[in-house]
Amino acid sequence: QVQLVESGGGLAQPGGSLRLSCAASGFTFSTYAMSWARQAPGKRLEWVSGIYSDGSDTYYADSVKGRFTISRDNAKNTLYLQMNSLKPEDTAVYYCGRKAVRATSWSAVVGYDYWGQGTQVTVSS
């Protein structure tokens, strides 16, 4: 069965960095586009960044552009999110998701057929 397991979250100071990982199994990882999304307390799930199946193109929400970098290693079935210059407003549970084959929008979270269990990121001094 499809499994997505996030790791790497934790506590960071404003201006600091964290690197999230998402280990995928149960499907052919290299044939699916993937994304990261986040959910802050009391807010909706918000798309953060996406990457094509072969890593050839990446996309970012305006709120993280220039600070976050998405990447993938298809040989290791792993998705990454490098987060730099962290801000308190980046505090959220971060999820990796598999983009459904027929989904046309990157940012519409309904277009993803599987999500992981999430990893907590807290940015605070």
Side-chain angles (χ1 to χ4, degrees):
Q1 71 278 21
V2 173
Q3 281 197 314
L4 300 169
V5 180
E6 302 91 340
S7 61
L11 176 64
Q13 291 191 338
S17 299
L18 284 173
R19 189 194 195 203
L20 305 184
S21 298
C22 170
S25 61
F27 66 103
T28 306
F29 180 71
S30 61
T31 64
Y32 282 86
M34 301 289 295
S35 280
W36 289 95
R38 65 187 182 186
Q39 188 167 26
K43 294 191 175 181
R44 293 181 177 180
L45 187 64
E46 173 196 22
W47 175 81
V48 171
S49 179
I51 187 168
Y52 269 114
S53 58
D54 62 357
S56 59
D57 259 325
T58 57
Y59 302 89
Y60 298 92
D62 288 343
S63 58
V64 306
K65 201 172 293 182
R67 301 188 298 121
F68 289 11
T69 303
I70 190 172
S71 63
R72 64 192 296 161
D73 185 337
N74 285 344
K76 294 183 178 180
N77 290 344
T78 303
L79 178 72
Y80 302 100
L81 185 68
Q82 178 66 44
M83 306 187 295
N84 299 330
S85 302
L86 284 163
K87 304 175 180 180
E89 51 263 43
D90 294 320
T91 295
V93 178
Y94 283 72
Y95 301 88
C96 64
R98 190 181 82 168
K99 191 168 180 280
V101 172
R102 290 187 174 85
T104 56
S105 167
W106 284 95
S107 60
V109 295
V110 294
Y112 293 80
D113 52 10
Y114 289 94
W115 294 99
Q117 85 292 343
T119 186
Q120 175 71 48
V121 171
T122 303
V123 183
S124 174
S125 55

